[in-house]
Amino acid sequence: MEYRKNDRITVEIVDCGTDGEGIGKADGFTVFIKDAVIGDVVSAKIMKAKKNYGYGKLEQIVKPSPYRVKPLCPSARQCGGCQLQALSYEQQLAFKEKKIRGSLERIGGFTHIPMEPIMGMEDPWHYRNKAQFPVGRNKAGKLVTGFYAGRTHVIVENRDCALGVPQNKEILDIVLAHMERFHIEPYDETTGKGLVRHIFIRCGFYTGELMVCLIINGTSIPHQGELISSLTAIPGMTSISLNINKKRSNVILGDEVKVLWGQGYITDKIGDIYYQISPLSFFQVNPRQTVRLYSKALEYADLHGEETIWDLYCGIGTISLFLAQKAKFVRGVEIVPQAIEDARKNAKLNGITNAEFYVGKAEEVLPEYYRKYEEEHGEKAHADVIVVDPPRKGCDEALLETIIKMQPEKVVYVSCDPATLARDLKYLCGKGYSLEKVFGADMFPQGVHVETVALLTKLNAKQHIEVELNLDELDLTAAESKATYDEIKAYVLEKYGLKVSSLYISQVKRKCGLDVGPNYNLSKKEDAKVPQCPPEKESAIMEALKHFQIT
């Protein structure tokens, strides 16, 4: 059956898309329906139709899913912030674990994925230490703040977000009352006029310190003394500032910050490390999960006090300083100059002297450091561990290539996007690294995003061996000479999409009773472990041996 725009369709939701939308199928037609959850039977109106798929608007839940729950927030469906509130938290975790695994399989080409159980939260509410509230007027002319509806700049009024801290509402009430009292206009994107654009709030979960930063289309706020007096009555208030943003763009923060009262930062901690956080700093929004996330990265790095580490995309030094507790030396790289200033201050704040920081793009700083080091020392630069925590776009290929050249024993990849993680892991694993562990962390309950930590190890590190097998090294029988190792590899890759090594082929041949000759490559290290052929690759090689009539 062919479906067209404005048609009605009733379907059972059988899957969940990467953005949390429900996926239903009828007569070979796939439809994506926002706000539907797995297990629902729903009626929807087709809003956009292609030949084999389309997008529908939920009109009625015919039969609710056993996984459907009542959203805690009354604005959940309209607001663009929480896509999964109607889905039970257990199923949210299952969705995110599947999202990671699916990306690694589909994009990365991985078949055996060493995933640990995903890390959820005991209480998946009120976890955010940061919030940005746009300010405007609704259709009736009322001054409002809240969050933008999905894919729009229409403000859904909400001063008490279920993901934020309780102090948010008190702060918003004070700021909006001040604006109404003194007739201060909100910024209007259409005209470019008006003063207050956003109200930016940060909270130190472990210190209780509060920051309020008004993002304005100007240089000052009228009657700021009265505003400061009201805000400082809130316990924990530490920093009140203005951020100047006069640009006609969707970028929230400008470059200039003017402190009105107190400090230009708040302090909070991750584990035993304290951090000074300014309005422009990047800092993980879920502090309770962050300490668990970074502890996992530290576990994967497996530091013993003698290692040199590069932390790329280091921000204000959050991971760098966390790792410096156990490493010999850490070097961090970040493109934002203010963040590097904060990183250096944070190192000093914690008495950490075994860390230094560089301003610049990681994909430029690291290759340049690598080149200069080789020129000056006559040998290649080396890092025992490289940690990367890139933005959603992932790592630049030039950076990945430099990581390969530096040959660290381990790469710890912290990712906020499973798709670009999978792409980059595929590149690294095609250049001499092996994926050892994958760990999902739910840093954003009720939303679709998920953090992942992955551990890669160099294939010629202590726990692996490098193997080069040439046909002239082997004592071949007539049957075995029917196919070269390269032909077997090519056959397995073409038929099964798997890359197999000469070592794995030799292991399978030995299991079949075939001689691989006396020069079977073994490590010279007594304590080295030989990697064993995974079952799926063993089956593929067995089929190739049969194809070439070797067995």
Side-chain angles (χ1 to χ4, degrees):
M1 179 176 176
E2 183 179 350
Y3 288 94
R4 298 179 180 179
K5 184 178 179 180
N6 297 323
D7 283 349
R8 263 68 180 185
I9 187 171
T10 298
V11 291
E12 180 180 357
I13 302 301
V14 295
D15 204 350
C16 194
T18 56
D19 292 327
E21 69 277 20
I23 299 175
K25 297 184 179 182
D27 303 317
F29 185 78
T30 300
V31 58
F32 299 87
I33 305 172
K34 182 181 176 293
D35 301 315
V37 304
I38 294 176
D40 279 344
V41 176
V42 302
S43 174
K45 179 181 179 181
I46 303 295
M47 306 303 292
K48 183 178 180 181
K50 298 290 186 180
K51 182 177 181 182
N52 298 315
Y53 70 94
Y55 298 89
K57 181 180 180 181
L58 178 64
E59 292 192 326
Q60 181 184 2
I61 300 171
V62 178
K63 182 181 177 182
S65 165
Y67 308 127
R68 176 173 283 278
V69 297
K70 183 179 179 180
L72 186 64
C73 174
S75 305
R77 187 171 175 183
Q78 293 79 23
C79 174
C82 295
Q83 302 89 350
L84 301 179
Q85 268 201 44
L87 185 64
S88 72
Y89 189 55
E90 292 76 13
Q91 287 301 308
Q92 289 184 35
L93 294 178
F95 159 71
K96 293 178 182 184
E97 192 167 279
K98 182 180 178 182
K99 187 175 184 178
I100 296 169
R101 188 181 295 276
S103 292
L104 291 173
E105 290 174 346
R106 188 180 67 259
I107 301 170
F110 295 96
T111 52
H112 173 66
I113 301 171
M115 277 193 71
E116 299 186 53
I118 191 168
M119 178 185 72
M121 295 189 73
E122 289 184 10
D123 179 12
W125 304 99
H126 302 292
Y127 60 82
R128 288 187 63 95
N129 61 7
K130 183 184 84 167
Q132 301 163 156
F133 296 88
V135 185
R137 293 194 181 276
N138 63 16
K139 292 181 179 179
K142 178 188 173 185
L143 191 64
V144 296
T145 188
F147 300 96
Y148 289 131
R151 303 180 185 274
T152 76
H153 271 211
V154 176
I155 297 174
V156 176
E157 187 173 5
N158 185 355
R159 300 189 190 186
D160 193 16
C161 174
L163 304 188
V165 296
Q167 296 94 323
N168 285 348
K169 183 178 186 304
E170 187 175 2
I171 292 167
L172 295 174
D173 287 347
I174 288 172
V175 174
L176 265 67
H178 182 83
M179 292 178 66
E180 288 174 340
R181 178 185 175 191
F182 295 106
H183 309 290
I184 300 170
E185 282 298 308
Y187 179 72
D188 186 325
E189 289 183 332
T190 306
T191 64
K193 296 180 179 180
L195 183 63
V196 180
R197 302 173 71 126
H198 284 76
I199 302 167
F200 180 100
I201 304 170
R202 269 194 155 130
C203 175
F205 265 49
Y206 297 99
T207 61
E209 296 182 0
L210 287 170
M211 169 190 289
V212 176
C213 179
L214 301 185
I215 301 161
I216 61 172
N217 178 39
T219 57
S220 63
I221 192 87
H223 303 278
Q224 68 180 37
E226 288 93 331
L227 178 61
I228 290 169
S229 179
S230 298
L231 289 173
T232 52
I234 301 174
M237 188 59 63
T238 304
S239 175
I240 302 174
S241 62
L242 300 176
N243 177 264
I244 313 304
N245 183 3
K246 299 180 182 179
K247 296 179 181 178
R248 296 282 297 268
S249 74
N250 292 333
V251 177
I252 294 176
L253 288 165
D255 297 326
E256 183 185 353
V257 176
K258 293 173 64 175
V259 177
L260 298 183
W261 180 88
Q263 306 166 163
Y265 59 87
I266 61 170
T267 303
D268 208 7
K269 69 174 185 173
I270 300 174
D272 296 326
I273 303 297
Y274 284 88
Y275 301 88
Q276 291 181 353
I277 309 158
S278 69
L280 300 179
S281 299
F282 171 79
F283 195 74
Q284 289 280 6
V285 300
N286 188 335
R288 295 193 183 100
Q289 292 290 79
T290 297
V291 66
R292 301 171 71 187
L293 178 77
Y294 288 0
S295 294
K296 183 60 68 172
L298 184 60
E299 175 192 321
Y300 281 5
D302 190 25
L303 304 176
H304 301 280
E306 297 300 321
E307 296 86 358
T308 297
I309 298 175
W310 277 87
D311 175 18
L312 311 179
Y313 311 97
C314 70
I316 63 171
T318 47
I319 295 181
S320 303
L321 301 181
F322 202 77
L323 297 175
Q325 300 171 95
K326 297 287 183 72
K328 180 180 179 181
F329 203 86
V330 179
R331 294 182 174 90
V333 183
E334 172 59 52
I335 191 173
V336 181
Q338 179 62 48
I340 289 297
E341 283 184 36
D342 289 344
R344 290 166 180 158
K345 289 177 183 176
N346 290 330
K348 188 176 181 180
L349 176 68
N350 290 279
I352 292 174
T353 58
N354 61 331
E356 63 182 13
F357 299 94
Y358 300 82
V359 177
K361 293 182 179 179
E363 54 266 32
E364 295 174 0
V365 170
L366 191 58
E368 181 63 14
Y369 177 90
Y370 181 89
R371 184 188 65 77
K372 283 186 177 180
Y373 187 96
E374 190 168 12
E375 284 181 0
E376 294 172 4
H377 296 85
E379 61 182 17
K380 294 180 179 179
H382 176 72
D384 298 291
V385 181
I386 289 181
V387 178
V388 293
D389 185 8
R392 294 196 187 281
K393 69 176 183 177
C395 295
D396 188 276
E397 189 170 320
L399 176 63
L400 294 174
E401 188 57 40
T402 304
I403 291 174
I404 298 299
K405 289 179 180 177
M406 290 186 74
Q407 291 287 291
E409 303 301 318
K410 301 183 187 77
V411 176
V412 178
Y413 197 128
V414 182
S415 168
C416 56
D417 189 310
T420 54
L421 169 71
R423 180 201 67 199
D424 293 349
L425 294 189
K426 181 178 183 180
Y427 183 93
L428 292 169
C429 289
K431 298 280 187 175
Y433 282 83
S434 172
L435 179 60
E436 298 294 325
K437 294 179 181 179
V438 179
F439 176 77
D442 187 18
M443 303 288 287
F444 314 101
Q446 318 310 326
V448 295
H449 297 302
V450 62
E451 291 272 325
T452 312
V453 185
L455 170 65
L456 298 96
T457 59
K458 192 169 63 171
L459 284 175
N460 63 345
K462 187 176 182 180
Q463 66 268 39
H464 297 87
I465 60 173
E466 285 193 80
V467 179
E468 292 183 5
L469 292 171
N470 297 315
L471 287 176
D472 59 0
E473 294 180 322
L474 305 176
D475 182 16
L476 298 176
T477 65
E480 288 174 272
S481 64
K482 290 180 180 177
T484 66
Y485 276 66
D486 284 342
E487 287 172 336
I488 293 171
K489 291 177 185 178
Y491 177 87
V492 171
L493 180 61
E494 182 178 353
K495 185 166 184 179
Y496 298 100
L498 299 174
K499 290 185 178 180
V500 296
S501 65
S502 298
L503 171 63
Y504 288 167
I505 296 171
S506 297
Q507 288 175 348
V508 175
K509 290 173 79 173
R510 281 198 164 188
K511 283 189 177 182
C512 296
L514 300 172
D515 188 6
V516 295
N519 292 322
Y520 177 77
N521 287 10
L522 296 175
S523 175
K524 297 177 183 178
K525 298 178 182 178
E526 293 182 2
D527 57 348
K529 295 180 182 178
V530 179
Q532 298 300 305
C533 184
E536 70 274 17
K537 292 188 176 182
E538 180 177 317
S539 299
I541 294 170
M542 288 284 287
E543 179 59 33
L545 297 180
K546 290 178 183 178
H547 173 78
F548 290 110
Q549 299 181 346
I550 295 173
T551 59

